[in-house]
Protein backbone atom coordinates (compact mmCIF):
# COMPACT_ATOMS: atom_id res chain seq x y z
CA UNK A 1 0.00 0.00 0.00
CA UNK A 2 1.22 3.49 -0.82
CA UNK A 3 2.43 5.60 2.08
CA UNK A 4 2.86 9.03 0.54
CA UNK A 5 -0.01 11.42 -0.09
CA UNK A 6 1.18 12.02 -3.62
CA UNK A 7 1.29 8.30 -4.45
CA UNK A 8 -2.20 7.80 -3.02
CA UNK A 9 -3.45 10.64 -5.19
CA UNK A 10 -1.61 9.19 -8.21
CA UNK A 11 -3.40 5.85 -7.65
CA UNK A 12 -6.78 7.64 -7.61
CA UNK A 13 -5.96 9.55 -10.77
CA UNK A 14 -4.75 6.43 -12.54
CA UNK A 15 -8.00 4.59 -11.75
CA UNK A 16 -10.04 7.46 -13.14
CA UNK A 17 -7.97 7.77 -16.30
CA UNK A 18 -7.98 4.02 -16.85
CA UNK A 19 -11.76 3.93 -16.64
CA UNK A 20 -12.01 6.87 -19.06
CA UNK A 21 -9.61 5.26 -21.55
CA UNK A 22 -11.33 1.87 -21.36
CA UNK A 23 -14.69 3.47 -22.15
CA UNK A 24 -13.42 5.21 -25.28
CA UNK A 25 -11.38 2.21 -26.44
CA UNK A 26 -14.42 -0.06 -26.08
CA UNK A 27 -16.62 2.45 -27.93
CA UNK A 28 -14.08 2.52 -30.75
CA UNK A 29 -13.90 -1.29 -30.92
CA UNK A 30 -17.71 -1.52 -31.11
CA UNK A 31 -17.82 1.05 -33.91
CA UNK A 32 -15.16 -0.87 -35.85
CA UNK A 33 -17.07 -4.14 -35.34
CA UNK A 34 -20.27 -2.48 -36.54
CA UNK A 35 -18.56 -1.20 -39.69
CA UNK A 36 -16.92 -4.57 -40.42
CA UNK A 37 -20.28 -6.32 -40.07
CA UNK A 38 -21.90 -4.10 -42.70
CA UNK A 39 -22.64 -5.57 -46.09
CA UNK A 40 -24.02 -2.43 -47.76
CA UNK A 41 -21.25 -0.28 -49.28
CA UNK A 42 -23.21 2.99 -49.11
CA UNK A 43 -23.97 2.63 -45.41
CA UNK A 44 -20.36 1.68 -44.69
CA UNK A 45 -19.13 4.74 -46.59
CA UNK A 46 -21.40 6.96 -44.48
CA UNK A 47 -20.20 5.45 -41.20
CA UNK A 48 -16.48 5.39 -42.07
CA UNK A 49 -15.73 9.13 -41.54
CA UNK A 50 -17.05 9.05 -37.98
CA UNK A 51 -15.03 5.91 -37.18
CA UNK A 52 -11.95 7.47 -38.76
CA UNK A 53 -12.41 10.62 -36.69
CA UNK A 54 -12.77 8.52 -33.53
CA UNK A 55 -9.58 6.57 -34.30
CA UNK A 56 -7.61 9.77 -34.99
CA UNK A 57 -8.75 11.35 -31.73
CA UNK A 58 -7.84 8.27 -29.71
CA UNK A 59 -4.42 8.11 -31.37
CA UNK A 60 -3.84 11.80 -30.71
CA UNK A 61 -4.57 11.38 -26.99
CA UNK A 62 -2.44 8.18 -26.79
CA UNK A 63 -5.35 5.93 -25.85
CA UNK A 64 -4.33 3.76 -28.80
CA UNK A 65 -1.05 3.84 -30.73
CA UNK A 66 -0.97 5.91 -33.92
CA UNK A 67 0.18 2.90 -35.96
CA UNK A 68 -2.70 0.81 -34.64
CA UNK A 69 -5.13 3.54 -35.71
CA UNK A 70 -3.53 3.62 -39.16
CA UNK A 71 -3.72 -0.17 -39.47
CA UNK A 72 -7.39 -0.25 -38.48
CA UNK A 73 -8.26 2.56 -40.91
CA UNK A 74 -6.42 0.78 -43.70
CA UNK A 75 -8.17 -2.52 -43.08
CA UNK A 76 -11.56 -0.79 -42.91
CA UNK A 77 -10.97 0.90 -46.27
CA UNK A 78 -10.01 -2.46 -47.76
CA UNK A 79 -13.20 -3.96 -46.33
CA UNK A 80 -15.33 -1.17 -47.79
CA UNK A 81 -13.66 -1.52 -51.19
CA UNK A 82 -14.42 -5.25 -51.26
CA UNK A 83 -18.14 -4.59 -50.77
Amino acid sequence: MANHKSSIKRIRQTKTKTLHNKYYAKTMRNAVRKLRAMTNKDEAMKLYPSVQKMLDKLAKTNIIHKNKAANIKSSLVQHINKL
Side-chain angles (χ1 to χ4, degrees):
M1 183 62 199
N3 294 321
H4 295 284
K5 266 188 164 183
S6 62
S7 58
I8 293 170
K9 181 178 178 181
R10 177 59 54 200
I11 290 168
R12 281 199 319 265
Q13 288 177 332
T14 303
K15 280 184 188 175
T16 307
K17 287 181 181 179
T18 301
L19 210 65
H20 177 266
N21 291 346
K22 277 186 179 178
Y23 168 78
Y24 283 104
K26 185 69 173 176
T27 305
M28 177 269 303
R29 284 197 302 272
N30 287 336
V32 169
R33 277 191 203 114
K34 184 179 176 185
L35 200 142
R36 284 195 177 130
M38 287 188 169
T39 54
N40 187 352
K41 188 171 185 169
D42 293 332
E43 289 180 24
M45 290 286 282
K46 287 180 186 174
L47 183 65
Y48 179 72
S50 63
V51 174
Q52 182 182 8
K53 184 178 179 181
M54 190 184 304
L55 287 165
D56 288 336
K57 280 186 178 180
L58 293 179
K60 186 174 82 173
T61 55
N62 290 322
I63 294 174
I64 61 171
H65 196 273
K66 63 178 185 170
N67 290 350
K68 178 176 181 155
N71 287 338
I72 293 172
K73 287 191 290 185
S74 173
S75 69
L76 289 176
V77 169
Q78 286 178 347
H79 171 71
I80 290 171
N81 287 336
K82 283 183 184 176
L83 295 177

